[in-house]
């Protein structure tokens, strides 16, 4: 087995898979929100407040469910959770342009929030971190380049597709491309390193180290936690305001 400093090390394929996960979830579920708002308003004549409310609710649901990621991983494993997130994101992308009633928009965005749980900022460092020690910071940083690349690559390409094919066809095509690229890489590369003992972890689960667990109540009582949360919410607000410029 190659050392993690070698380009032949299998962990770098895991980084690539996580890069694609971040590229997809941030590109389609965050930066493309402005496109969804404009196109859904044009197709159905619904007020922007209705559509943006569904979008906001999806982010809220995702932030609540992600609190229980540890329990979900313990039952499903990281690979199954990532695959479930991909399926939820792809399904929501197909449902959105064909929404015929307001409740269908909320259902589609709710599915998108489940995609965040399986493909977002909690899962990616958990997967990559298990493969690296000396190059862990670099590996996680490279994986999360997909997040910013989602706004640079995915959203402009989606705008071009919508302009040429129409919103419905473009979303179905984008969903198909997402599945073609993400399903094989997730099946092949997402998982624990081969030195994880089968007696202590299942085929695609990672067990936390003894003595490192911490209860949620203790976390929310720490000022450091709220400084991170408030900064993240402030940044999310700026992103939503930026997306409004598309309108």
């Amino acid at each position: 087995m190659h050392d993690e400093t070698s380009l032949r090390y299998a962990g770098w394929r895991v980084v690539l898979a996580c890069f694609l996960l971040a590229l997809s979830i941030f590109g389609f579920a965050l930066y493309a929100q402005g496109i969804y708002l404009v196109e859904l308003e044009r197709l159905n004549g619904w007020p922007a407040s209705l559509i943006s409310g569904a979008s906001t609710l999806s982010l809220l649901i995702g932030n609540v469910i992600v609190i229980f990621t540890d329990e979900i991983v313990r039952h499903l494993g990281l690979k199954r959770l990532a695959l479930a997130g991909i399926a939820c994101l792809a399904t929501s992308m197909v449902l959105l342009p064909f929404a015929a009633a307001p409740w269908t928009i909320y259902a589609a965005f709710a599915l998108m929030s489940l995609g965040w749980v399986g493909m977002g900022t909690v899962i990616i460092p958990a997967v990559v971190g298990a493969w690296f020690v000396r190059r862990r910071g670099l590996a996680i940083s490279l994986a999360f380049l997909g997040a910013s690349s989602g706004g640079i690559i995915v959203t402009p390409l989606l705008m071009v597709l919508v302009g040429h094919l129409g919103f419905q066809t473009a979303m179905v095509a984008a969903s198909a491309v997402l599945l073609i690229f993400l399903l094989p890489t997730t099946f092949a590369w997402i998982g624990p390193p081969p030195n994880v003992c089968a007696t202590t972890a299942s085929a695609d689960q990672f067990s936390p180290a003894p003595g490192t667990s911490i209860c949620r109540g203790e976390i929310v009582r720490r000022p450091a936690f709220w400084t991170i949360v408030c900064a993240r919410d402030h940044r999310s607000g700026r992103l939503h305001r930026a997306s409004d410029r598309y309108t």
Side-chain angles (χ1 to χ4, degrees), residues 30-39 41 47-53 55-56 59 109 155 159 235-247:
L30 181 62
Y31 296 115
Q33 295 282 347
I35 299 176
Y36 304 153
L37 176 64
V38 171
E39 293 299 326
E41 190 176 12
S49 58
L50 173 68
I51 303 167
S52 61
S55 172
T56 302
L59 296 176
F109 275 113
T155 306
M159 290 175 62
R235 185 174 68 248
S236 299
R238 287 188 299 174
L239 286 171
H240 276 290
R241 289 193 294 272
S243 68
D244 290 342
R245 299 193 192 108
Y246 177 76
T247 62

Side-chain angles (χ1 to χ4, degrees), residues 100-134:
W103 73 265
T104 56
I105 294 181
Y106 281 82
F109 275 113
L111 276 175
M112 191 173 289
S113 71
L114 299 180
W116 277 108
V117 178
M119 303 168 64
T121 54
V122 175
I123 293 300
I124 289 174
V127 174
V128 175
W131 282 83
F132 291 87
V133 177
R134 296 175 59 187

Side-chain angles (χ1 to χ4, degrees), residues 27-145:
F28 290 113
L30 181 62
Y31 296 115
Q33 295 282 347
I35 299 176
Y36 304 153
L37 176 64
V38 171
E39 293 299 326
L40 288 171
E41 190 176 12
R42 180 183 62 82
L43 285 175
N44 301 293
W46 292 326
S49 58
L50 173 68
I51 303 167
S52 61
S55 172
T56 302
L57 180 63
S58 74
L59 296 176
L60 176 62
I61 293 173
N63 285 333
V64 171
I65 298 178
V66 79
I67 298 173
F68 305 96
T69 301
D70 184 60
E71 288 84 354
I72 298 173
V73 170
R74 192 175 295 116
H75 285 86
L76 294 180
L78 286 173
K79 179 179 289 187
R80 293 191 188 96
L81 181 56
L83 291 172
I86 294 168
C88 289
L89 176 61
T91 303
S92 69
M93 290 169 58
V94 173
L95 290 178
L96 269 178
F98 295 97
W103 73 265
T104 56
I105 294 181
Y106 281 82
F109 275 113
L111 276 175
M112 191 173 289
S113 71
L114 299 180
W116 277 108
V117 178
M119 303 168 64
T121 54
V122 175
I123 293 300
I124 289 174
V127 174
V128 175
W131 282 83
F132 291 87
V133 177
R134 296 175 59 187
R135 297 292 180 89
R136 182 174 293 167
L138 173 63
I140 293 177
S141 297
L142 291 175
F144 272 118
L145 277 178

Side-chain angles (χ1 to χ4, degrees), residues 210-243:
T212 59
S213 61
I214 182 172
C215 67
R216 296 186 184 91
E218 184 178 348
I219 292 175
V220 298
R221 286 194 294 269
R222 294 184 176 185
F225 168 78
W226 291 106
T227 59
I228 295 173
V229 170
C230 292
R232 184 173 182 268
D233 289 344
H234 177 67
R235 185 174 68 248
S236 299
R238 287 188 299 174
L239 286 171
H240 276 290
R241 289 193 294 272
S243 68

